[in-house]
Amino acid sequence: MASSSVAAHSPIPEPKKFAPGPILLLGAPGVGKGTKAKELVSAWGIPQISTGDLLRANVGGGTPLGKQARAIMDRGELVSDDLVNQMVAERLKEPDTSAGYILDGFPRTLGQADWLDQHLGATPGSLPVIAVSIQVSYNQLLRRITGRRICPVCKSSYNIYLQPPKVDELCDLDGTPLTRRSDDTEEVFEERMRAYNSLTAPVVEHYRALGRFEQVNGEQPVSAVTAEVMQAVLRLRS
Ligand code: AP5
């Protein structure tokens, strides 16, 4: 279904009038969690908390955490629960999370899910978490990952197969040469998928069993997937 018709039947609440609470975007590497999270940010004015982005910022900044995480991320494995939980705990103290936030790429293990469930249970006034899982086939994920290019200046994301820039390998917005994430090779993608299937797929089942859970088809245009995610959030919060 086209995004415009989905949105037309059920208007998206305006920012500041809707407090979505904690939203989890779940799904395999390249499923589009970050792309959809950014759309929810602009619709509802709540922050996107991507553990991948936070870890990459630490790697880029050469912090002690970044130094520990770098090789693990380059292999496509998961950083330890303790490090990631601590990083998320710090981020959730920021006042911009009071009306809600989108967790993108967290939790990724049952240990992280237990930590989050306990953390929210101990946070006065917190709404229960809701989870939306995005589904995309393996071959499409591989194209999305190996085709992804990023502007190092403005962080715009492109895909040479699916959403190419107007001029090859240059950012449409500022003309900067695009770069590729070091873990976006086919070999590392396969390791990331192994980690997803063994450690993160059980997290999806954990939230499905809790009941505040919906699944959407991520193999549609970005606007259509975004509209489905938003409608799922509205249903789960109604
Ligand atoms: P992270 O950065 O979280 O990577 P990921 O989960 O593998 O997800 P991606 O960022 O690759 O993909 P995405 O689903 O956000 O897709 P996107 O929107 O970019 O984690 C990286 C590493 O950090 C991990 O491997 C691990 O080592 C570590 N880490 C992170 N969190 C951790 C945690 N909690 N615990 C332990 N370790 C952790 O889209 C992908 C591409 O597809 C783009 O090119 C985009 O343009 C395109 N696209 C998106 N949607 C569509 C669409 N609908 N149609 C066509 N193209 C689309």
Short mmCIF file of all heavy atoms in Angstrom, two decimals, residues 38-90:
data_model
loop_
_atom_site.label_atom_id
_atom_site.label_comp_id
_atom_site.label_asym_id
_atom_site.label_seq_id
_atom_site.Cartn_x
_atom_site.Cartn_y
_atom_site.Cartn_z
N LYS A 38 14.95 7.98 11.30
CA LYS A 38 15.11 9.42 11.00
C LYS A 38 13.77 10.04 10.59
O LYS A 38 13.49 11.21 10.88
CB LYS A 38 16.17 9.60 9.91
CG LYS A 38 17.55 9.39 10.46
CD LYS A 38 18.65 9.55 9.45
CE LYS A 38 20.01 9.34 10.11
NZ LYS A 38 20.22 8.02 10.74
N GLU A 39 12.93 9.27 9.92
CA GLU A 39 11.61 9.78 9.53
C GLU A 39 10.73 10.00 10.77
O GLU A 39 10.00 10.97 10.87
CB GLU A 39 10.91 8.79 8.58
CG GLU A 39 11.67 8.51 7.30
CD GLU A 39 11.54 9.65 6.30
OE1 GLU A 39 10.50 10.31 6.27
OE2 GLU A 39 12.51 9.85 5.53
N LEU A 40 10.81 9.09 11.74
CA LEU A 40 10.03 9.25 12.97
C LEU A 40 10.53 10.43 13.78
O LEU A 40 9.75 11.17 14.40
CB LEU A 40 10.08 7.99 13.84
CG LEU A 40 9.62 6.65 13.25
CD1 LEU A 40 9.41 5.63 14.36
CD2 LEU A 40 8.37 6.76 12.43
N VAL A 41 11.83 10.64 13.75
CA VAL A 41 12.42 11.80 14.44
C VAL A 41 11.81 13.07 13.89
O VAL A 41 11.39 13.96 14.63
CB VAL A 41 13.97 11.82 14.26
CG1 VAL A 41 14.56 13.16 14.65
CG2 VAL A 41 14.61 10.70 15.06
N SER A 42 11.76 13.17 12.54
CA SER A 42 11.26 14.44 12.01
C SER A 42 9.74 14.54 12.18
O SER A 42 9.22 15.64 12.32
CB SER A 42 11.70 14.66 10.56
OG SER A 42 11.15 13.70 9.74
N ALA A 43 9.03 13.43 12.26
CA ALA A 43 7.57 13.52 12.46
C ALA A 43 7.21 13.85 13.91
O ALA A 43 6.30 14.63 14.17
CB ALA A 43 6.92 12.19 12.07
N TRP A 44 7.92 13.27 14.86
CA TRP A 44 7.48 13.35 16.26
C TRP A 44 8.44 14.10 17.18
O TRP A 44 8.17 14.28 18.36
CB TRP A 44 7.20 11.94 16.80
CG TRP A 44 5.95 11.35 16.20
CD1 TRP A 44 4.84 12.04 15.78
CD2 TRP A 44 5.67 9.98 15.96
NE1 TRP A 44 3.90 11.17 15.27
CE2 TRP A 44 4.39 9.90 15.37
CE3 TRP A 44 6.38 8.80 16.16
CZ2 TRP A 44 3.80 8.69 15.00
CZ3 TRP A 44 5.79 7.59 15.79
CH2 TRP A 44 4.52 7.55 15.22
N GLY A 45 9.60 14.48 16.64
CA GLY A 45 10.52 15.28 17.44
C GLY A 45 11.13 14.54 18.62
O GLY A 45 11.51 15.17 19.61
N ILE A 46 11.18 13.23 18.54
CA ILE A 46 11.85 12.46 19.60
C ILE A 46 13.18 11.97 19.04
O ILE A 46 13.33 11.84 17.84
CB ILE A 46 10.98 11.27 20.09
CG1 ILE A 46 10.60 10.36 18.92
CG2 ILE A 46 9.76 11.78 20.83
CD1 ILE A 46 9.91 9.08 19.34
N PRO A 47 14.18 11.73 19.91
CA PRO A 47 15.50 11.37 19.38
C PRO A 47 15.61 9.92 18.92
O PRO A 47 14.92 9.04 19.44
CB PRO A 47 16.43 11.63 20.56
CG PRO A 47 15.58 11.49 21.77
CD PRO A 47 14.19 11.91 21.38
N GLN A 48 16.49 9.72 17.96
CA GLN A 48 16.90 8.38 17.55
C GLN A 48 18.14 8.03 18.36
O GLN A 48 19.09 8.82 18.40
CB GLN A 48 17.26 8.40 16.06
CG GLN A 48 17.96 7.14 15.57
CD GLN A 48 18.64 7.36 14.20
OE1 GLN A 48 18.76 8.49 13.74
NE2 GLN A 48 19.07 6.29 13.59
N ILE A 49 18.12 6.90 19.02
CA ILE A 49 19.31 6.45 19.74
C ILE A 49 19.80 5.19 19.05
O ILE A 49 19.22 4.11 19.21
CB ILE A 49 19.00 6.20 21.23
CG1 ILE A 49 18.45 7.49 21.86
CG2 ILE A 49 20.24 5.70 21.97
CD1 ILE A 49 18.01 7.35 23.31
N SER A 50 20.83 5.35 18.24
CA SER A 50 21.39 4.21 17.50
C SER A 50 22.68 3.79 18.19
O SER A 50 23.64 4.56 18.26
CB SER A 50 21.69 4.65 16.05
OG SER A 50 22.69 3.81 15.49
N THR A 51 22.70 2.56 18.71
CA THR A 51 23.93 2.12 19.38
C THR A 51 25.07 1.99 18.37
O THR A 51 26.23 2.24 18.72
CB THR A 51 23.69 0.79 20.13
OG1 THR A 51 22.94 -0.10 19.32
CG2 THR A 51 22.97 1.03 21.44
N GLY A 52 24.75 1.66 17.12
CA GLY A 52 25.80 1.62 16.09
C GLY A 52 26.42 3.00 15.91
O GLY A 52 27.64 3.15 15.86
N ASP A 53 25.57 4.04 15.80
CA ASP A 53 26.09 5.41 15.62
C ASP A 53 26.89 5.85 16.85
O ASP A 53 27.94 6.49 16.72
CB ASP A 53 24.94 6.41 15.40
CG ASP A 53 24.31 6.28 14.02
OD1 ASP A 53 24.90 5.59 13.15
OD2 ASP A 53 23.22 6.87 13.81
N LEU A 54 26.38 5.53 18.05
CA LEU A 54 27.11 5.93 19.26
C LEU A 54 28.48 5.25 19.31
O LEU A 54 29.49 5.87 19.65
CB LEU A 54 26.30 5.57 20.52
CG LEU A 54 25.01 6.37 20.76
CD1 LEU A 54 24.22 5.79 21.93
CD2 LEU A 54 25.32 7.84 21.02
N LEU A 55 28.49 3.96 18.95
CA LEU A 55 29.78 3.25 18.95
C LEU A 55 30.72 3.82 17.88
O LEU A 55 31.91 4.04 18.15
CB LEU A 55 29.56 1.75 18.70
CG LEU A 55 28.93 0.98 19.87
CD1 LEU A 55 28.43 -0.38 19.43
CD2 LEU A 55 29.95 0.82 21.01
N ARG A 56 30.18 4.12 16.69
CA ARG A 56 31.05 4.69 15.63
C ARG A 56 31.59 6.06 16.05
O ARG A 56 32.72 6.42 15.73
CB ARG A 56 30.29 4.79 14.29
CG ARG A 56 30.27 3.46 13.52
CD ARG A 56 29.63 3.59 12.16
NE ARG A 56 28.20 3.78 12.25
CZ ARG A 56 27.32 2.80 12.42
NH1 ARG A 56 27.71 1.55 12.50
NH2 ARG A 56 26.03 3.07 12.51
N ALA A 57 30.77 6.84 16.78
CA ALA A 57 31.26 8.14 17.27
C ALA A 57 32.42 7.93 18.24
O ALA A 57 33.41 8.67 18.23
CB ALA A 57 30.12 8.91 17.94
N ASN A 58 32.32 6.90 19.07
CA ASN A 58 33.42 6.59 20.00
C ASN A 58 34.67 6.11 19.25
O ASN A 58 35.79 6.48 19.62
CB ASN A 58 32.98 5.52 21.01
CG ASN A 58 32.23 6.13 22.19
OD1 ASN A 58 32.85 6.66 23.11
ND2 ASN A 58 30.91 6.11 22.14
N VAL A 59 34.44 5.31 18.22
CA VAL A 59 35.59 4.85 17.41
C VAL A 59 36.25 6.05 16.75
O VAL A 59 37.48 6.24 16.82
CB VAL A 59 35.12 3.82 16.33
CG1 VAL A 59 36.25 3.52 15.35
CG2 VAL A 59 34.65 2.53 16.99
N GLY A 60 35.43 6.91 16.14
CA GLY A 60 35.96 8.10 15.45
C GLY A 60 36.68 9.03 16.40
O GLY A 60 37.68 9.66 16.03
N GLY A 61 36.19 9.11 17.64
CA GLY A 61 36.79 10.01 18.63
C GLY A 61 37.95 9.39 19.37
O GLY A 61 38.58 10.04 20.22
N GLY A 62 38.22 8.11 19.09
CA GLY A 62 39.37 7.45 19.73
C GLY A 62 39.22 7.29 21.23
O GLY A 62 40.22 7.25 21.96
N THR A 63 37.99 7.21 21.73
CA THR A 63 37.79 7.06 23.18
C THR A 63 38.19 5.63 23.60
O THR A 63 38.28 4.73 22.76
CB THR A 63 36.31 7.27 23.55
OG1 THR A 63 35.55 6.19 22.99
CG2 THR A 63 35.77 8.60 23.02
N PRO A 64 38.36 5.39 24.92
CA PRO A 64 38.67 4.02 25.37
C PRO A 64 37.60 3.02 24.91
O PRO A 64 37.93 1.91 24.46
CB PRO A 64 38.70 4.15 26.89
CG PRO A 64 39.06 5.59 27.14
CD PRO A 64 38.42 6.37 26.01
N LEU A 65 36.33 3.44 24.97
CA LEU A 65 35.26 2.55 24.49
C LEU A 65 35.42 2.27 23.00
O LEU A 65 35.30 1.13 22.55
CB LEU A 65 33.89 3.20 24.78
CG LEU A 65 32.65 2.60 24.12
CD1 LEU A 65 32.51 1.13 24.48
CD2 LEU A 65 31.39 3.35 24.54
N GLY A 66 35.71 3.33 22.23
CA GLY A 66 35.90 3.16 20.79
C GLY A 66 37.04 2.23 20.48
O GLY A 66 36.97 1.41 19.55
N LYS A 67 38.12 2.33 21.26
CA LYS A 67 39.28 1.45 21.01
C LYS A 67 38.92 -0.01 21.26
O LYS A 67 39.39 -0.90 20.56
CB LYS A 67 40.46 1.87 21.90
CG LYS A 67 41.10 3.14 21.36
CD LYS A 67 42.27 3.60 22.21
CE LYS A 67 42.80 4.91 21.63
NZ LYS A 67 43.33 5.82 22.63
N GLN A 68 38.08 -0.25 22.27
CA GLN A 68 37.65 -1.64 22.54
C GLN A 68 36.70 -2.13 21.45
O GLN A 68 36.71 -3.30 21.08
CB GLN A 68 36.90 -1.72 23.87
CG GLN A 68 37.78 -1.59 25.08
CD GLN A 68 36.98 -1.84 26.34
OE1 GLN A 68 36.47 -2.93 26.57
NE2 GLN A 68 36.83 -0.82 27.16
N ALA A 69 35.85 -1.22 20.94
CA ALA A 69 34.77 -1.64 20.04
C ALA A 69 35.23 -1.83 18.60
O ALA A 69 34.67 -2.64 17.87
CB ALA A 69 33.64 -0.60 20.09
N ARG A 70 36.26 -1.09 18.20
CA ARG A 70 36.58 -1.01 16.77
C ARG A 70 36.77 -2.38 16.09
O ARG A 70 36.10 -2.70 15.10
CB ARG A 70 37.84 -0.16 16.58
CG ARG A 70 38.25 -0.08 15.15
CD ARG A 70 39.41 0.85 14.91
NE ARG A 70 39.28 1.39 13.58
CZ ARG A 70 39.60 2.62 13.23
NH1 ARG A 70 40.06 3.45 14.12
NH2 ARG A 70 39.45 3.02 11.99
N ALA A 71 37.67 -3.20 16.65
CA ALA A 71 37.98 -4.48 16.00
C ALA A 71 36.76 -5.40 16.01
O ALA A 71 36.50 -6.12 15.04
CB ALA A 71 39.14 -5.15 16.71
N ILE A 72 35.98 -5.32 17.10
CA ILE A 72 34.78 -6.17 17.20
C ILE A 72 33.80 -5.80 16.09
O ILE A 72 33.25 -6.67 15.41
CB ILE A 72 34.13 -5.97 18.59
CG1 ILE A 72 35.09 -6.38 19.70
CG2 ILE A 72 32.81 -6.75 18.69
CD1 ILE A 72 34.64 -6.00 21.10
N MET A 73 33.59 -4.50 15.91
CA MET A 73 32.64 -4.05 14.88
C MET A 73 33.15 -4.40 13.48
O MET A 73 32.39 -4.81 12.62
CB MET A 73 32.43 -2.54 15.01
CG MET A 73 31.72 -2.17 16.30
SD MET A 73 31.68 -0.40 16.56
CE MET A 73 30.41 0.10 15.42
N ASP A 74 34.46 -4.26 13.27
CA ASP A 74 35.01 -4.58 11.95
C ASP A 74 34.89 -6.06 11.62
O ASP A 74 34.86 -6.44 10.45
CB ASP A 74 36.48 -4.13 11.85
CG ASP A 74 36.59 -2.63 11.60
OD1 ASP A 74 35.56 -2.00 11.27
OD2 ASP A 74 37.71 -2.09 11.76
N ARG A 75 34.79 -6.89 12.65
CA ARG A 75 34.59 -8.34 12.40
C ARG A 75 33.11 -8.68 12.24
O ARG A 75 32.76 -9.79 11.89
CB ARG A 75 35.16 -9.17 13.57
CG ARG A 75 36.67 -9.20 13.64
CD ARG A 75 37.16 -10.34 14.54
NE ARG A 75 36.68 -10.22 15.92
CZ ARG A 75 37.32 -9.57 16.89
NH1 ARG A 75 38.46 -8.95 16.64
NH2 ARG A 75 36.82 -9.51 18.11
N GLY A 76 32.23 -7.73 12.58
CA GLY A 76 30.79 -8.00 12.47
C GLY A 76 30.22 -8.68 13.69
O GLY A 76 29.09 -9.18 13.67
N GLU A 77 31.01 -8.69 14.78
CA GLU A 77 30.52 -9.31 16.02
C GLU A 77 29.89 -8.25 16.90
O GLU A 77 29.94 -7.06 16.60
CB GLU A 77 31.70 -9.98 16.74
CG GLU A 77 32.29 -11.13 15.92
CD GLU A 77 33.62 -11.60 16.46
OE1 GLU A 77 34.05 -11.12 17.53
OE2 GLU A 77 34.24 -12.44 15.79
N LEU A 78 29.32 -8.67 18.03
CA LEU A 78 28.66 -7.72 18.92
C LEU A 78 29.59 -7.27 20.04
O LEU A 78 30.33 -8.08 20.62
CB LEU A 78 27.40 -8.34 19.53
CG LEU A 78 26.27 -8.69 18.55
CD1 LEU A 78 25.03 -9.12 19.32
CD2 LEU A 78 25.94 -7.54 17.62
N VAL A 79 29.50 -6.00 20.36
CA VAL A 79 30.22 -5.42 21.50
C VAL A 79 29.54 -5.94 22.77
O VAL A 79 28.34 -6.28 22.76
CB VAL A 79 30.15 -3.88 21.39
CG1 VAL A 79 30.79 -3.20 22.58
CG2 VAL A 79 30.81 -3.42 20.08
N SER A 80 30.30 -6.00 23.89
CA SER A 80 29.75 -6.66 25.09
C SER A 80 28.53 -5.91 25.64
O SER A 80 28.42 -4.68 25.53
CB SER A 80 30.82 -6.75 26.18
OG SER A 80 30.95 -5.50 26.82
N ASP A 81 27.64 -6.69 26.24
CA ASP A 81 26.42 -6.11 26.81
C ASP A 81 26.74 -5.00 27.81
O ASP A 81 26.09 -3.96 27.81
CB ASP A 81 25.59 -7.20 27.53
CG ASP A 81 24.91 -8.14 26.57
OD1 ASP A 81 24.99 -7.92 25.34
OD2 ASP A 81 24.29 -9.12 27.04
N ASP A 82 27.73 -5.22 28.66
CA ASP A 82 28.03 -4.22 29.71
C ASP A 82 28.36 -2.87 29.11
O ASP A 82 27.86 -1.83 29.55
CB ASP A 82 29.20 -4.68 30.58
CG ASP A 82 28.77 -5.75 31.57
OD1 ASP A 82 27.55 -5.98 31.68
OD2 ASP A 82 29.65 -6.35 32.20
N LEU A 83 29.22 -2.89 28.07
CA LEU A 83 29.63 -1.62 27.45
C LEU A 83 28.43 -0.93 26.80
O LEU A 83 28.23 0.28 26.96
CB LEU A 83 30.70 -1.85 26.39
CG LEU A 83 32.11 -2.19 26.87
CD1 LEU A 83 33.04 -2.40 25.68
CD2 LEU A 83 32.65 -1.06 27.75
N VAL A 84 27.64 -1.71 26.09
CA VAL A 84 26.53 -1.10 25.35
C VAL A 84 25.43 -0.63 26.31
O VAL A 84 24.89 0.48 26.16
CB VAL A 84 25.98 -2.11 24.31
CG1 VAL A 84 24.76 -1.55 23.61
CG2 VAL A 84 27.03 -2.44 23.29
N ASN A 85 25.12 -1.44 27.32
CA ASN A 85 24.08 -1.03 28.28
C ASN A 85 24.46 0.27 28.99
O ASN A 85 23.63 1.16 29.19
CB ASN A 85 23.85 -2.12 29.34
CG ASN A 85 23.25 -3.39 28.76
OD1 ASN A 85 22.75 -3.38 27.63
ND2 ASN A 85 23.29 -4.47 29.51
N GLN A 86 25.74 0.37 29.34
CA GLN A 86 26.22 1.57 30.03
C GLN A 86 26.09 2.80 29.13
O GLN A 86 25.69 3.88 29.57
CB GLN A 86 27.68 1.34 30.40
CG GLN A 86 28.17 2.17 31.54
CD GLN A 86 29.65 1.89 31.79
OE1 GLN A 86 30.12 0.77 31.59
NE2 GLN A 86 30.37 2.91 32.20
N MET A 87 26.41 2.60 27.86
CA MET A 87 26.32 3.71 26.89
C MET A 87 24.87 4.16 26.73
O MET A 87 24.56 5.35 26.70
CB MET A 87 26.87 3.17 25.56
CG MET A 87 27.21 4.15 24.53
SD MET A 87 27.97 3.29 23.11
CE MET A 87 26.56 2.41 22.44
N VAL A 88 23.96 3.19 26.67
CA VAL A 88 22.54 3.53 26.52
C VAL A 88 22.03 4.20 27.80
O VAL A 88 21.27 5.19 27.74
CB VAL A 88 21.71 2.26 26.18
CG1 VAL A 88 20.21 2.55 26.21
CG2 VAL A 88 22.10 1.74 24.80
N ALA A 89 22.45 3.68 28.96
CA ALA A 89 22.01 4.28 30.23
C ALA A 89 22.38 5.75 30.28
O ALA A 89 21.57 6.60 30.69
CB ALA A 89 22.63 3.53 31.41
N GLU A 90 23.60 6.08 29.85
CA GLU A 90 24.04 7.48 29.85
C GLU A 90 23.17 8.32 28.90
O GLU A 90 22.74 9.41 29.23
CB GLU A 90 25.51 7.58 29.39
CG GLU A 90 26.50 7.15 30.44
CD GLU A 90 26.33 7.90 31.75
OE1 GLU A 90 26.26 9.15 31.72
OE2 GLU A 90 26.27 7.24 32.81
#
